Amino acid sequence: MTTETQLLERITARPDVFGGKPIVRDLRIAVEHILGMLAAGDSAQVILDEHPFLEPDDIRACLVFAHRMVAGEQVHERVPVAAGR
């Protein structure tokens, strides 16, 4: 099973992509987009079917990220920020 630390490694942020918002595996799909689809009632399977480049652990990573943020943890310090890309 993938640990939360491993899942969070899937979340990156780049200043030149979506204004530095957290994205999934540098794929130019924002964490907030995945969370919005889940909040709208889409199942993980629907999201994976509509975005075949995503993996189940990408969705779990978004949920872990959101949980840590709501819990008030400094998740952004754990998110690698690629400089100079």
Side-chain angles (χ1 to χ4, degrees), residues 66-75:
H67 174 258
R68 296 270 183 103
M69 291 293 292
V70 170
E73 295 183 24
Q74 297 293 325
V75 179

Side-chain angles (χ1 to χ4, degrees), residues 48-64:
L48 294 170
D49 290 345
E50 291 179 359
H51 301 84
F53 52 87
L54 290 176
E55 300 170 359
D57 275 350
D58 294 329
I59 295 171
R60 288 188 58 223
C62 292
L63 291 170
V64 169

Side-chain angles (χ1 to χ4, degrees), residues 11-85:
I11 307 300
T12 59
R14 291 179 38 195
D16 60 326
V17 178
F18 300 137
K21 290 183 179 184
I23 58 177
V24 178
R25 287 189 296 125
D26 214 24
L27 294 173
R28 293 183 176 267
I29 185 161
V31 168
E32 72 181 87
H33 184 72
I34 301 297
L35 295 173
M37 289 187 288
L38 291 168
D42 289 341
S43 69
Q45 191 57 56
V46 166
I47 295 169
L48 294 170
D49 290 345
E50 291 179 359
H51 301 84
F53 52 87
L54 290 176
E55 300 170 359
D57 275 350
D58 294 329
I59 295 171
R60 288 188 58 223
C62 292
L63 291 170
V64 169
F65 184 86
H67 174 258
R68 296 270 183 103
M69 291 293 292
V70 170
E73 295 183 24
Q74 297 293 325
V75 179
H76 57 83
E77 292 177 0
R78 294 186 188 103
V79 176
V81 178
R85 280 189 154 195

